[in-house]
Amino acid sequence: MIPVPLLVCVMGVWCAVYLADTLLRSSVTHRISYESWLASRGLMLSPFHLRWQTTMFNRLFAYCARINPRAQYLWFNSGLVFGVVAMVGSVVLLTQTLQQTLAQMTTDNPRIGSQQALQVVVPGVNLPTSQLAYFFIALLLSGVIHELGHAVAALREQVRVNGFGIFVFVVYPGAFVDLFTTHLNIISPAQQLRIFCAGVWHNFVLCVAALAFLFLLPLFLFPMYSTGGGALVTEVVQGSAADGPRGLSVGDIVTGLEDCPVRGVDDWSSCLSRISLTPQTGYCVPSASLQPSWAHGRAFKRLDGTMDCCSNNSLTDLCFSYMKPQGKNSREYACMPVRKMVTGTRVCHTNNDCAARSHAASICVTPSLENQTRFIRVTHPPNTHMLFVGYPPHLQYAVSLTNFLPRFGFLHLDLPVFLETFCKYPFMFKVQYVVSLSGALAVVNSVPCFALDGQWMLNALLEATLVTVVTDRQKRELIGFCLLLAGSALLAANVALGLWMVTAR
């Protein structure tokens, strides 16, 4: 569901702005001065929409359009080819996404949803409020780069740029360029196509640039931050399983999960995934430590069929199962103090593993837990192990980590996190920001849909390719209209079902 406080806040701000605008426009004494003030600053206000337009960047666009004309000719022709390919690819991708959404609606399998390349993003619902700043800045940056491509391409084709602007629609920021329509209509379809494809082309280039920066980030930060020495804790969710006096703290370096070494965030995720999918690990403890008094608790079955032998709900004891080396082939159960039993012990799966690694008589004891629940020792020196009992994904969601370990104490832990997170948002295929959002703009704007770049790209493409095959202009326009109608329906279906999946579930 959409968070009510966020919705009330957004509605309240827009209602206050629109009420103030209405009062000033209806005022006899302030109307003229207010409208003059808006016009002089290029501001336009309508319900849930604020727009600002200026000509101050026109000289910058003109300067960019004059840089190395030959290279720019090849650059924007490459954009033309990419735009045509992206238009076809976006239809294929949206069709695939629609099929996956429909399949997800009819099944409870969460893996289908995680396989979707595109997903509707609703702030406060499937986008954490803590990441709204990253999201909106990356969205605005992607929009500005997109419109910069249109502006420079237009000036190269002798189309006048009337101005550049930024807008806010509800909560989403964006950018636009105002082109002189008369100039745009008299140039050739190929020239039009270069202009219309320039936006999605520059979004794609921004994706590649952000990915390259993300890939080279360890090299750029090498003088200040090191990698490969573990995963640094940057945040622990308050009240979670990882919180507490003997839990993890901001600044801790995790180097292992059981016998799985952790050199970075990817290792942390893969180790947790492996632990989730494999049987519970056992621990080699000396046979003499299995004192009979600990085994007096009577074992009983849980509802899921697993065994328990600790009936006092102790926070320090845990039920362990083991096989006696010279006894019958049956399992014994003992309720033992967990930290004392597993501190400094080796992992095992059978008694033979313990015999091969230790000269003293040892037994492999295994925590007797409910299905899907795991006991995990988290190594974060110089502190003692953090002991976790629960569902492994809960541990993953409770802790935020980074690969970058500061070399000096005065360095901030969050700088690499900020750079990583922000760079990921320019794609918004389901990677994350500059990569995530710019990629999404490239895909969505390429769709042959009314009011998007894809509409003008399709019209120019049909005029450039079908003029000799379909000589009647009205028939070409009819073909274009039908294709646009189909593309608009495809995009609308994806957005509508995507919103329903995000907000209703």
Side-chain angles (χ1 to χ4, degrees), residues 74-89:
L74 295 175
W75 176 261
F76 286 106
N77 275 331
S78 300
L80 184 153
V81 175
F82 172 81
V84 174
V85 173
M87 184 162 53
V88 177

Side-chain angles (χ1 to χ4, degrees), residues 13 59 75 168 209 228-229 286 298 398 422 440 443:
V13 169
R59 288 189 177 183
W75 176 261
V168 176
R298 194 173 201 179
F422 181 69
V443 171

Side-chain angles (χ1 to χ4, degrees), residues 13 75 272 282 311 432 458 466:
V13 169
W75 176 261
L272 282 176
S311 57
Q432 286 205 28
L458 178 65
L466 293 184

Side-chain angles (χ1 to χ4, degrees), residues 399-421:
V399 182
S400 297
L401 302 149
T402 180
N403 294 316
F404 296 91
L405 313 180
R407 297 182 184 273
F408 310 103
F410 63 87
L411 293 173
H412 206 286
L413 302 180
D414 291 333
L415 175 60
V417 177
F418 170 79
L419 294 174
E420 275 189 305
T421 307

Side-chain angles (χ1 to χ4, degrees), residues 142-179:
S142 300
V144 168
I145 297 299
H146 179 98
E147 298 304 328
L148 174 65
H150 285 313
V152 175
L155 289 170
R156 281 200 70 262
E157 305 298 343
Q158 307 303 313
V159 174
R160 190 176 78 196
V161 176
N162 295 328
F164 165 84
I166 292 173
F167 67 87
V168 176
F169 178 70
V170 189
V171 294
Y172 295 97
F176 66 93
V177 287
D178 182 16
L179 304 180

